[in-house]
Amino acid sequence: MATAAATSASEPEAESKAGPKADGEEDEVKAARTRRKVLSRAVAAATYKTVGPGWDQQEEGVSESDGDEYAMASSAESSPGEYEWEYDEEEEKNQLEIERLEEQLSINVYDYNCHVDLIRLLRLEGELTKVRMARQKMSEIFPLTEELWLEWLHDEISMAQDGLDREHVYDLFEKAVKDYICPNIWLEYGQYSVGGIGQKGGLEKVRSVFERALSSVGLHMTKGLALWEAYREFESAIVEAARPVAGFLSPFDREQTFDSQLEKVHSLFRRQLAIPLYDMEATFAEYEEWSEDPVPESVIQNYNKALQQLEKYKPYEEALLQAEAPRLSEYQAYIDFEMKIGDPARIQLIFERALVENCLVPDLWIRYSQYLDRQLKVKDLVLSVHNRAVRNCPWTVALWSRYLLAMERHGVDHQVISVTFEKALNAGFIQATDYVEIWQAYLDYLRRRVDFKQDSSKELEELRAAFTRALEYLKQEVEERFNESGDPSCVIMQNWARIEARLCNNMQKARELWDSIMTRGNAKYANMWLEYYNLERAHGDTQHCRKALHRAVQCTSDYPEHVCEVLLTMERTEGSLEDWDTAVQKTETRLARVNEQRMKAAEKEAALVQQEEEKAEQRKRARAEKKALKKKKKTRGPEKRGADEDDEKEWGDDEEEQPSKRRRVENSIPEAGETQNVEVAAGPAGKCATVDVEPPSKQKEKAASLKRDMPKVLHDSSKDSITVFVSNLPYSMQEPDVKLRPLFEACGEVVQIRPIFSNRGDFRGYCYVEFKEEKSALQALEMDRKSVEGRPMFVSPCVDKSKNPDFKVFRYSTSLEKHKLFISGLPFSCTKEELEEICKAHGTVKDLRLVTNRAGKPKGLAYVEYENESQASQAVMKMDGMTIKENVIKVAISNPPQRKVPEKPETRKAPGGPMLLPQTYGARGKGRTQLSLLPRALQRPSAAAPQAENGPAAAPAVAASAATEAPKMSNADFAKLFLRK
């Protein structure tokens, strides 16, 4: 499903503050005045019909067509003008696009964007009948946004001609207000109903609409004011229209009409002033001016109390006003605040407000429906919210399961629940396990309908048929789509077997089901056999228990010892001598075979370890030989050394990528200007005459003094909030501060750029950038992964790791993200634009990231983020296995494997011995150069003890005892020791 949230407009949470009016505001004021004028005339006409003759309608300027004037005024902006239809190339292109969209919807009716595009093109082409049908189909599947509803309503209002058309528009308004809580739609509904005030029951209809609107959004602190004012203006217009007629009526009739109408206006003022709303002061001043009598003390008290409540709510409203849509965190804080207060009406309203902008957040729907299920428990309200939840997020199985439970809880007809379940199966879940969960929820519901006291019933047969269908559905539909059934442990079959055994007393059927479970790859697991054994123990007989355990002994491969122990325990308590002998023989044979298999596996593993050690020894010898050869070359004459240096220069041309090696070579070359005791006299032949090198001790002293002389880059941790850490820069970058300053000045004023250099003055590839303001530093974080001289520049917050050891710079999520795809197997030549063009065909792409190494080279991987989970699931189905530039790509929902957290040193201690250091591996597993944790005494013969002046040096007592207690052992010996445990 394409996002409904992206197309839904963000709900402005407060009116703009006082200031110069925009150009469009004058037009809005004029339109409001026109509507009020029309409202007054329509009310006057209705009052004339109600009161009777005695008031000349024509003298007051009320014409017969005044009742329809509002419809024209309210839909003037959206009414289509007079077009001259010409069949040109653009229209032909639109027709082809319409046919393509209709074909696409015939394949996938849940494609939200296709619905929106089709409606837009049909409306552009003037296909009124088709656009009505398209809107109707879309509204049956998805809830429509405020913009789509208002567009549809304005089109229908402009075409409404008689009473039947008006009733059709009323029906559309009823559907619109059920999708979301939209104050603008309620306001349109109330104003449109005023146009039908002259019809039978029109006055009651208008009041009913406004009362429902107030109960729905009257508490809305920023938008509720418009509805209160519209309702009050309507009642005030009736008062003004009835005032000239009151003189012609008897005192009793005047009291029934005029005075009672005045009381309605008073009541509206009092009700509004008791509710915390923005601009309450102006409403109170208006009431004082309008009322002929002083404002009652009770009204003033309620008004002051509402003002105090308004001050409590203002921080949350201001937070919504300042934040950008969808403002989920701000709404969550607001909901928590309302939940503490506990007013059900306000809690419901804030949930509805949050869902307007976050309609595709399943957790928010779950929290809302859970509150209604546990607190309000109003059937119509609860079922309505559940229905809207599954229409907004049909891919979330938890919402469907809760919907089925709510329908059962409120006694909905069985046929309706079955239809809802069928809709859930067609919703297009993302994982195979989701189908297992929805089937379990439905089967639980069917089981609760069965009266097991009867031997056979219609409900029981329906339950068994549903179990059979569930197994077939998982095997055919789900397994074909996901290459897995989603139920490897056969949970559904296990539940069916328990029902047959415990509730139906049908152990024969239960045994058949368990046989089927074992044939599906579960016979090797001990827990499955023990589950079957417990079922037989509770509802079967000893013979079948013994048979099950004998089969378990032969088949179990994970924990055969446990199964053997259970069998021997049963025979010890219930079996005969013959049964005991048979059990002992089978268990001993099986355990001997298992131990033999484990020994072979351990020997094989030991052989592999030995091969690795031999290879490592060979590499070590090769390195030693190479080192000896290099040392031998250095001892040659001066003429050979010159040739060797030339060769080293050729090999070192590409050492720019290896700065550590380059520094090691440079450190051996004396700095210019340094005092050295090296004299080189080159004759005509280029031979060295004298070479005088200082001793190593003096060289180390000079290196240390050089290190002390290098200026240190001091970092002030108090400025971390305005500083960013920049890394992965090219080592060859000259004057990094000069080159980086223009890049970061685009984010704000840069105070200082502090590049880090080595002791020899080489740039180390990272630096600190300090800004003047914190917002500039936050903006600079968005430059992360920006290419600088061919390498991705890493920009991260400046955090002291010693104070925050758990801080992680990695900014991407490492958990399951159902709206994001992971693509592998991409050709290295594939660009971001090319991949984005491919992904756009399946939904709206919010972000696309090609994974590169530290040098900026592509790794053939990418992450693609869609608007919602539905688009992502559709893209997986259509893109997985696609060929791009002769490469077959793999596409899956992003779910990175969990990284193993290294154990803390204090948690790893040998029993009764010293603490062991944790064994950590790099990104590619165990490296070849890592040291073995095996003591040297166990690896190879220990070297001869060093000689002291008066004899052998005395070794520590602990070391001596360890040497005597640890004989030489091979890897195979170690494997045998482990197997004995």
Side-chain angles (χ1 to χ4, degrees):
M1 180 186 86
T3 172
T7 57
S8 67
S10 0
E11 172 192 9
E13 289 302 323
E15 302 293 337
S16 58
K17 297 183 179 180
K21 292 186 176 181
D23 297 337
E25 291 186 7
E26 297 181 359
D27 297 336
E28 293 181 2
V29 172
K30 293 179 180 179
R33 290 175 181 173
T34 304
R35 290 181 180 179
R36 292 180 184 178
K37 181 179 178 182
V38 173
L39 184 68
S40 300
R41 292 183 177 179
V43 173
T47 306
Y48 171 77
K49 294 181 181 180
T50 304
V51 175
W55 181 37
D56 191 353
Q57 180 177 349
Q58 299 298 328
E59 289 180 359
E60 294 295 329
V62 180
S63 63
E64 297 178 356
S65 61
D66 283 339
D68 297 329
E69 187 174 349
Y70 168 71
M72 295 184 290
S74 63
S75 60
E77 297 179 1
S78 61
S79 300
E82 296 180 3
Y83 294 99
E84 296 180 359
W85 301 100
E86 298 179 358
Y87 194 78
D88 53 7
E89 294 182 358
E90 187 67 23
E91 291 183 354
E92 184 177 359
K93 181 180 179 182
N94 289 343
Q95 289 295 333
L96 293 175
E97 182 65 13
I98 289 172
E99 293 177 2
R100 187 191 69 81
L101 292 173
E102 289 176 344
E103 182 180 358
Q104 180 69 20
L105 288 176
S106 65
I107 299 173
N108 179 19
V109 73
Y110 289 95
D111 194 331
Y112 188 93
N113 285 339
C114 276
H115 283 284
V116 175
D117 294 340
L118 180 61
I119 292 171
R120 178 181 56 81
L121 289 176
L122 290 174
R123 190 169 183 265
L124 184 63
E125 293 295 316
E127 300 283 352
L128 301 181
T129 304
K130 289 186 176 180
V131 78
R132 275 180 176 173
M133 293 176 60
R135 282 168 168 165
Q136 184 65 29
K137 289 181 179 179
M138 183 178 181
S139 65
E140 291 173 357
I141 302 172
F142 302 109
L144 304 186
T145 62
E146 180 180 341
E147 287 73 21
L148 292 175
W149 272 120
L150 289 176
E151 182 184 79
W152 189 359
L153 290 167
H154 288 165
D155 289 347
E156 295 293 342
I157 289 172
S158 65
M159 294 184 292
Q161 296 178 355
D162 53 17
L164 293 177
D165 293 338
R166 180 171 288 275
E167 290 297 326
H168 173 64
V169 176
Y170 284 155
D171 292 339
L172 284 182
F173 270 114
E174 290 295 332
K175 292 180 180 179
V177 296
K178 290 179 181 178
D179 277 354
Y180 299 109
I181 296 295
C182 297
N184 293 334
I185 294 180
W186 275 113
L187 188 60
E188 288 284 339
Y189 192 7
Q191 291 174 342
Y192 178 73
S193 63
V194 174
I197 195 174
Q199 298 179 350
K200 183 179 179 180
L203 184 60
E204 290 75 11
K205 174 71 175 178
V206 176
R207 284 174 174 163
S208 173
V209 170
F210 274 116
E211 286 294 340
R212 289 171 56 203
L214 291 181
S215 65
S216 179
V217 292
L219 297 176
H220 198 301
M221 297 188 65
T222 56
K223 288 195 169 185
L225 179 65
L227 279 166
W228 285 101
E229 289 183 346
Y231 193 9
R232 213 172 54 241
E233 287 172 4
F234 167 74
E235 296 292 355
S236 300
I238 293 180
V239 172
E240 296 298 326
R243 193 182 297 274
V245 190
F248 299 96
L249 302 178
S250 63
F252 177 78
D253 292 337
R254 182 169 59 251
E255 182 179 355
Q256 291 294 321
T257 56
F258 186 72
D259 294 345
S260 63
Q261 187 60 38
L262 278 177
E263 183 60 29
K264 284 185 173 62
V265 180
H266 276 287
S267 176
L268 285 174
F269 268 116
R270 294 167 185 170
R271 289 166 60 189
Q272 180 180 352
L273 291 173
I275 298 173
L277 297 172
Y278 271 43
D279 205 14
M280 290 184 63
E281 297 82 356
T283 304
F284 185 77
E286 183 181 351
Y287 184 35
E288 287 183 319
E289 181 182 354
W290 180 85
S291 178
E292 298 176 356
D293 301 326
V295 179
E297 185 64 27
S298 61
V299 176
I300 296 177
Q301 291 179 358
N302 292 333
Y303 166 69
N304 292 329
K305 185 178 180 181
L307 281 177
Q308 294 176 359
Q309 292 178 346
L310 180 63
E311 293 301 320
K312 296 180 181 179
Y313 286 110
K314 269 188 176 180
Y316 298 96
E317 294 290 344
E318 293 295 334
L320 290 173
L321 178 64
Q322 296 172 5
E324 297 181 358
R327 301 177 283 198
L328 180 59
S329 60
E330 288 78 13
Y331 275 119
Q332 293 281 15
Y334 205 160
I335 290 171
D336 293 338
F337 174 72
E338 291 287 11
M339 294 284 275
K340 291 180 181 178
I341 296 177
D343 185 352
R346 299 197 67 88
I347 292 173
Q348 182 184 353
L349 177 63
I350 191 59
F351 268 117
E352 294 288 352
R353 289 174 62 183
L355 288 169
V356 170
E357 298 182 14
N358 300 277
C359 60
L360 298 181
V361 180
D363 291 341
L364 190 59
W365 283 107
I366 290 175
R367 187 179 181 187
Y368 185 22
S369 61
Q370 181 175 304
Y371 168 76
L372 296 178
D373 287 334
R374 297 179 180 178
Q375 301 297 328
L376 296 187
K377 301 179 181 180
V378 180
K379 177 180 178 180
D380 293 338
L381 177 60
V382 169
L383 295 181
S384 172
V385 170
H386 278 289
N387 184 26
R388 291 161 52 205
V390 297
R391 291 177 66 202
N392 277 278
C393 306
W395 62 88
T396 307
V397 67
L399 293 175
W400 287 101
S401 301
R402 290 173 177 271
Y403 191 14
L404 294 177
L405 288 172
M407 295 174 77
E408 181 185 2
R409 196 176 293 121
H410 292 281
V412 178
D413 185 68
H414 170 62
Q415 188 64 30
V416 178
I417 296 179
S418 298
V419 171
T420 304
F421 169 70
E422 296 297 332
K423 290 181 179 178
L425 288 181
N426 296 324
F429 297 132
I430 299 176
Q431 302 180 58
T433 53
D434 293 345
Y435 288 94
V436 178
E437 183 176 344
I438 193 64
W439 268 110
Q440 282 185 308
Y442 184 59
L443 292 169
D444 292 344
Y445 156 71
L446 293 179
R447 195 265 306 165
R448 288 189 286 266
R449 294 181 67 243
V450 179
D451 182 8
F452 290 100
K453 295 180 181 179
Q454 302 178 8
D455 294 337
S456 180
S457 63
K458 179 181 177 181
E459 289 79 8
L460 180 57
E461 296 302 323
E462 185 178 359
L463 175 61
R464 286 171 172 164
F467 269 115
T468 304
R469 184 190 167 201
L471 298 177
E472 293 177 354
Y473 187 90
L474 293 177
K475 183 178 181 180
Q476 298 176 4
E477 301 292 336
V478 178
E479 195 166 346
E480 181 180 350
R481 177 181 173 186
F482 296 97
N483 293 326
E484 59 169 324
S485 66
D487 191 13
S489 300
C490 300
V491 176
I492 292 179
M493 292 183 70
Q494 290 188 46
N495 291 336
W496 189 5
R498 294 189 192 101
I499 291 173
E500 292 289 352
R502 297 174 183 176
L503 302 178
C504 301
N505 297 320
N506 188 357
M507 278 301 300
Q508 182 62 32
K509 181 64 176 177
R511 293 179 183 118
E512 293 176 0
L513 290 170
W514 270 105
D515 286 340
S516 180
I517 291 173
M518 294 306 181
T519 57
R520 298 193 179 191
N522 294 297
K524 58 184 177 180
Y525 300 117
N527 65 319
M528 300 296 288
W529 284 108
L530 295 179
E531 183 71 24
Y532 177 34
Y533 164 74
N534 291 330
L535 189 68
E536 284 284 1
R537 192 76 172 168
H539 305 284
D541 51 49
T542 306
Q543 181 181 358
H544 285 90
C545 288
R546 182 176 291 110
K547 184 179 179 180
L549 289 177
H550 279 284
R551 292 175 59 191
V553 168
Q554 297 298 326
C555 301
T556 303
S557 60
D558 55 351
Y559 299 104
E561 295 88 350
H562 188 35
V563 176
C564 293
E565 183 181 353
V566 173
L567 174 59
L568 293 176
T569 302
M570 189 193 77
E571 298 298 357
R572 179 176 287 111
T573 56
E574 300 181 19
S576 63
L577 178 59
E578 183 181 355
D579 295 332
W580 171 260
D581 291 339
T582 304
V584 170
Q585 182 181 358
K586 285 193 174 183
T587 54
E588 289 179 351
T589 305
R590 176 59 179 166
L591 291 179
R593 190 184 310 131
V594 169
N595 290 332
E596 184 181 354
Q597 292 173 353
R598 290 175 177 174
M599 286 293 296
K600 290 182 179 179
E603 291 175 358
K604 185 177 181 180
E605 181 68 21
L608 292 176
V609 172
Q610 187 175 1
Q611 290 178 6
E612 288 294 327
E613 291 179 351
E614 291 176 355
K615 291 180 180 179
E617 190 67 26
Q618 291 176 2
R619 287 192 294 269
K620 185 178 179 181
R621 286 198 299 268
R623 287 195 297 269
E625 292 175 359
K626 186 176 180 181
K627 188 175 181 180
L629 182 61
K630 188 176 182 181
K631 191 178 293 185
K632 186 177 180 181
K633 288 182 179 180
K634 286 184 178 180
T635 58
R636 295 181 182 178
E639 66 282 356
K640 190 63 179 177
R641 182 183 301 173
D644 290 342
E645 289 176 356
D646 293 339
D647 294 338
E648 287 179 4
K649 287 184 179 181
E650 293 178 2
W651 285 99
D653 288 340
D654 58 347
E655 284 189 348
E656 187 180 22
E657 295 293 331
Q658 301 178 2
S660 59
K661 294 183 179 180
R662 181 186 63 188
R663 295 192 200 103
R664 191 178 304 163
V665 175
E666 290 175 350
N667 288 339
S668 63
I669 301 175
E671 189 78 29
E674 264 187 62
T675 305
Q676 300 279 344
N677 291 331
V678 180
E679 298 179 1
V680 179
K687 295 183 179 181
C688 299
T690 307
V691 178
D692 188 8
V693 182
E694 291 183 349
S697 59
K698 291 187 177 182
Q699 291 181 2
K700 290 182 180 180
E701 290 177 2
K702 288 191 174 183
S705 63
L706 179 63
K707 186 174 182 179
R708 288 193 299 269
D709 295 339
M710 286 296 296
K712 294 185 178 180
V713 177
L714 300 178
H715 175 65
D716 188 359
S717 59
S718 63
K719 298 182 180 180
D720 284 349
S721 60
I722 58 174
T723 307
V724 295
F725 178 69
V726 184
S727 59
N728 202 45
L729 295 168
Y731 297 110
S732 59
M733 178 179 287
Q734 302 295 329
E735 298 182 348
D737 51 342
V738 177
K739 292 188 177 181
L740 293 176
R741 185 172 290 274
L743 289 176
F744 288 98
E745 282 183 344
C747 304
E749 183 178 350
V750 177
V751 176
Q752 184 184 16
I753 296 180
R754 302 189 295 276
I756 308 302
F757 295 92
S758 66
N759 295 335
R760 300 296 301 170
D762 304 323
F763 180 49
R764 301 185 64 180
Y766 59 93
C767 65
Y768 295 92
V769 180
E770 181 182 338
F771 292 91
K772 187 175 183 180
E773 297 179 349
E774 184 176 354
K775 64 178 182 179
S776 302
L778 295 176
Q779 186 176 353
L781 295 177
E782 299 178 1
M783 299 179 64
D784 187 37
R785 301 308 198 273
K786 182 179 179 64
S787 179
V788 175
E789 295 187 6
R791 292 175 66 92
M793 174 180 65
F794 298 163
V795 184
S796 58
C798 188
V799 177
D800 188 355
K801 289 293 187 67
S802 62
K803 298 180 181 179
N804 300 278
D806 296 332
F807 177 77
K808 295 182 179 180
V809 182
F810 193 70
R811 63 174 184 173
Y812 300 107
S813 174
T814 57
S815 59
L816 174 65
E817 295 178 282
K818 296 184 179 180
H819 65 288
K820 186 180 291 186
L821 303 184
F822 173 68
I823 303 177
S824 59
L826 290 169
F828 294 150
S829 60
C830 181
T831 63
K832 181 178 180 181
E833 292 74 18
E834 292 174 347
L835 184 58
E836 185 174 6
E837 192 66 28
I838 296 173
C839 297
K840 276 183 179 179
H842 310 295
T844 305
V845 177
K846 290 182 62 177
D847 185 34
L848 190 149
R849 177 168 61 95
L850 290 177
V851 182
T852 61
N853 57 18
R854 298 181 69 88
K857 304 299 182 183
K859 300 175 68 174
L861 308 175
Y863 288 92
V864 182
E865 181 180 357
Y866 281 95
E867 286 285 352
N868 55 54
E869 300 173 12
S870 179
Q871 290 183 2
S873 62
Q874 294 293 331
V876 169
M877 296 174 59
K878 296 177 181 178
M879 292 178 59
D880 190 27
M882 179 184 292
T883 302
I884 299 179
K885 296 182 180 180
E886 300 182 356
N887 282 37
V888 179
I889 65 172
K890 293 183 179 180
V891 184
I893 298 296
S894 176
N895 188 15
Q898 295 295 328
R899 296 186 176 182
K900 294 184 179 180
V901 180
E903 297 180 6
K904 294 183 179 180
E906 58 269 15
T907 63
R908 301 192 59 182
K909 293 185 178 180
M915 181 180 66
L916 299 178
L917 293 177
Q919 188 173 3
T920 56
Y921 299 144
R924 300 189 179 186
K926 185 176 180 181
R928 295 176 176 175
T929 60
Q930 288 181 327
L931 296 176
S932 174
L933 294 181
L934 194 64
R936 293 182 179 178
L938 302 181
Q939 287 184 339
R940 61 181 65 87
S942 56
Q947 294 290 330
E949 291 182 359
N950 298 325
V958 176
S961 62
T964 57
E965 293 176 0
K968 301 177 183 179
M969 298 177 69
S970 65
N971 290 316
D973 294 332
F974 269 100
K976 291 178 182 179
L977 284 177
F978 285 126
L979 290 175
R980 291 174 187 171
K981 291 183 179 181

